[in-house]
């Protein structure tokens, strides 16, 4: 019995080593951070229960990916494609802006980098991994049929050989190559500003200064300074609302009208979807201090912010990122309020 217990403990440790990369794979497949974690948990349970049938003809890692793929394909049979607001509607002029929410399962969800990006000493590998969870690429993946999606991720992101993918999916190499070709063609048809966003890893000096200026402009609610940082065709989204805005005039106009309660906010840096981001806390007039309001993900290119994506379901996102739902006011701010 002691030996069986040790074997069970060893298996738990062995399976756990694969959790982050499997979560990344399932997240790319499903577009949902919570569904990805559910899929990985299901994968681990199935692997644990059927481990005595694992004959070692493939590696344990390949076997786990086969199980995870089947779990994801089962979850995708409902046909739901998660999206960003700009994938569903045209942009809305500020004069007609209205906040209409859609159900949670409509939206592509954000995810903390640490939950889906395994640590690696290879800078090129790290860059590919980050690019493959960026919001624009994730949205493009959602346009692919599930099996094409799996082929593209396994071949292009994880660098599996066609023969390995064919074995995993129980199909031929020719079928895998054909699916990859069709998937590439679909992605090439998308003309997406976010797909061109360039973020180095780690951030270069210019990008770091841009973020510092952004924090100063946002926390100071300085619209002139913010306008100087936004690309003229910058996009702002706010899931779960389907409203999205294009252009710095409409974005800053929104922030000073419907979004005016965000004046005086505080920003804490987060790593989200391979992009620089911030947890936004806005002033809490009832309890004092600051209350959680949004997880922001920023897309930048050539020294300007091109995408400004605010995920507002704080009860779900802040715990996922390990963030508190309330910040106390700093002593100097309390004194200023007296």
């Amino acid at each position: 019995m002691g030996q069986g217990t040790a074997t069970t403990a060893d298996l738990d440790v062995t399976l756990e080593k694969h959790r982050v990369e499997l979560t990344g794979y399932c997240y790319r497949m499903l577009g949902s951070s919570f569904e990805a974690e559910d899929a990985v948990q299901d994968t681990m349970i199935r692997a644990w229960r059927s481990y005595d049938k694992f004959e070692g003809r493939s590696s344990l890692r390949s076997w786990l990916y086969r199980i995870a793929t089947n779990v994801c394909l089962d979850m995708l049979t409902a046909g739901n494609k998660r999206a960003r607001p700009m994938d569903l509607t045209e942009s809305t002029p500020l004069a007609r802006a209205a906040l209409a929410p859609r159900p949670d399962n409509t939206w592509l969800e954000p995810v903390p980098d640490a939950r889906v990006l395994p640590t690696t000493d290879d800078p090129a590998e790290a860059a590919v991994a980050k690019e493959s969870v960026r919001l624009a690429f994730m949205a493009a993946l959602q346009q692919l049929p599930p099996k094409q999606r799996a082929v593209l991720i396994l071949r292009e992101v994880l660098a599996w050989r066609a023969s390995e993918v064919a074995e995993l999916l129980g199909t031929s190499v020719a079928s895998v190559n054909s699916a990859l070709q069709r998937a590439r063609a679909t992605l090439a048809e998308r003309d997406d500003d976010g797909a061109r966003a360039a973020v180095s890893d780690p951030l270069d000096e210019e990008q770091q200064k841009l973020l510092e200026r952004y924090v100063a402009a946002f926390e100071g609610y300085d619209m002139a300074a913010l306008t100087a940082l936004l690309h003229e065709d910058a996009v702002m989204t706010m899931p779960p609302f389907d409203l999205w805005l294009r252009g710095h005039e409409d974005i800053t106009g929104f922030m000073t009208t419907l979004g005016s309660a965000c004046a005086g906010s505080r920003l804490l840096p987060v790593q989200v979807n391979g992009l620089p981001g911030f947890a936004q806390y806005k002033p809490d007039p009832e309890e004092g201090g600051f209350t959680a309001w949004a997880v922001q993900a920023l897309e930048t290119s050539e020294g300007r912010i091109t995408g400004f994506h605010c995920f507002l379901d704080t009860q779900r996102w802040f715990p996922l990122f390990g963030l508190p739902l309330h910040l106390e006011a700093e002593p100097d701010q309390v004194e200023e309020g007296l």
Side-chain angles (χ1 to χ4, degrees), residues 10-74:
D10 290 345
L11 179 57
D12 286 344
V13 171
T14 301
L15 294 178
E16 199 61 32
K17 289 177 182 175
H18 297 276
R19 182 176 292 274
V20 173
E21 67 169 308
L22 287 172
T23 305
Y25 175 62
C26 293
Y27 174 68
R28 295 178 184 100
M29 285 291 291
L30 302 169
S32 162
S33 40
F34 291 105
E35 286 184 1
E37 296 202 345
D38 289 345
V40 172
Q41 197 58 31
D42 193 359
T43 297
M44 295 298 191
I45 291 169
R46 292 189 193 189
W48 201 90
R49 286 177 177 166
S50 58
Y51 186 70
D52 57 341
K53 300 174 187 171
F54 173 57
E55 298 171 355
R57 285 184 302 223
S58 62
S59 69
L60 177 66
R61 180 172 181 256
S62 297
W63 183 61
L64 289 171
Y65 269 92
R66 182 181 297 118
I67 297 171
T69 300
N70 290 332
V71 170
C72 289
L73 292 177
D74 287 346

Side-chain angles (χ1 to χ4, degrees), residues 3-338:
Q3 185 178 355
T5 304
T7 303
T8 299
D10 290 345
L11 179 57
D12 286 344
V13 171
T14 301
L15 294 178
E16 199 61 32
K17 289 177 182 175
H18 297 276
R19 182 176 292 274
V20 173
E21 67 169 308
L22 287 172
T23 305
Y25 175 62
C26 293
Y27 174 68
R28 295 178 184 100
M29 285 291 291
L30 302 169
S32 162
S33 40
F34 291 105
E35 286 184 1
E37 296 202 345
D38 289 345
V40 172
Q41 197 58 31
D42 193 359
T43 297
M44 295 298 191
I45 291 169
R46 292 189 193 189
W48 201 90
R49 286 177 177 166
S50 58
Y51 186 70
D52 57 341
K53 300 174 187 171
F54 173 57
E55 298 171 355
R57 285 184 302 223
S58 62
S59 69
L60 177 66
R61 180 172 181 256
S62 297
W63 183 61
L64 289 171
Y65 269 92
R66 182 181 297 118
I67 297 171
T69 300
N70 290 332
V71 170
C72 289
L73 292 177
D74 287 346
M75 292 174 74
L76 288 166
T77 52
N80 180 49
K81 294 180 180 179
R82 289 179 176 267
R84 303 167 301 170
M86 62 274 251
D87 300 320
L88 302 178
T89 64
E90 295 297 319
S91 61
T92 307
L94 179 60
R96 296 208 307 272
L99 298 176
R102 295 201 189 191
D104 289 340
N105 65 2
T106 306
W107 303 116
L108 181 62
E109 295 180 351
V111 72
D113 285 4
R115 287 185 179 249
V116 293
L117 300 178
T119 54
T120 175
D121 295 329
D122 184 341
E125 188 179 310
V128 169
K130 279 201 166 189
E131 287 167 10
S132 69
V133 294
R134 289 190 183 149
L135 295 169
F137 184 77
M138 287 292 302
L141 282 178
Q142 300 298 300
Q143 301 306 308
L144 301 175
K147 284 197 174 178
Q148 280 187 34
R149 201 179 306 176
V151 168
L152 186 94
I153 296 166
L154 290 164
R155 292 281 284 119
E156 304 259 296
V157 178
L158 301 176
W160 285 39
R161 294 191 296 271
S163 57
E164 293 173 318
V165 178
E167 183 181 352
L168 182 146
L169 292 175
T171 187
S172 67
V173 169
S175 177
V176 166
N177 289 336
S178 175
L180 180 60
Q181 192 172 5
R182 293 196 303 275
R184 284 172 172 166
T186 300
L187 296 193
E189 289 171 3
R190 290 176 64 92
D191 181 23
D192 200 317
D193 296 335
R196 296 192 294 271
V199 183
S200 63
D201 181 30
L203 297 178
D204 62 31
E205 186 178 354
E206 181 187 21
Q207 291 165 343
Q208 194 61 54
K209 286 183 177 176
L210 174 63
L211 294 182
E212 291 169 3
R213 291 168 62 199
Y214 169 76
V215 170
F218 195 96
E219 290 189 342
Y221 232 58
D222 182 338
M223 294 302 119
L226 192 60
T227 296
L229 304 180
L230 293 172
H231 189 279
E232 61 181 15
D233 289 326
V235 165
M236 180 181 183
T237 67
M238 293 163 282
F241 301 116
D242 58 12
L243 169 75
W244 66 281
L245 303 164
R246 182 184 289 278
H248 51 69
E249 289 188 9
D250 276 1
I251 291 173
T252 55
F254 177 88
M255 291 175 67
T256 54
T257 53
L258 290 176
S260 61
C262 290
S265 288
R266 291 291 171 265
L267 300 181
L268 299 182
V270 295
Q271 297 297 316
V272 50
N273 286 81
L275 298 164
F278 296 94
Q280 178 194 345
Y281 293 83
K282 69 176 186 177
D284 187 337
E286 294 180 4
E287 297 185 20
F290 302 88
T291 188
W293 182 246
V295 170
Q296 303 178 358
L298 302 186
E299 293 166 333
T300 69
S301 182
E302 298 179 351
R304 290 288 182 272
I305 294 168
T306 56
F308 173 45
H309 307 289
C310 304
F311 296 90
L312 304 181
D313 191 349
T314 53
Q315 297 295 324
R316 300 175 79 213
W317 305 132
F318 276 61
L320 185 70
F321 282 80
L323 295 163
L325 292 172
H326 189 83
L327 292 181
E328 296 301 326
E330 296 170 7
D332 59 337
Q333 293 166 338
V334 174
E335 290 171 11
E336 287 172 10
L338 292 176

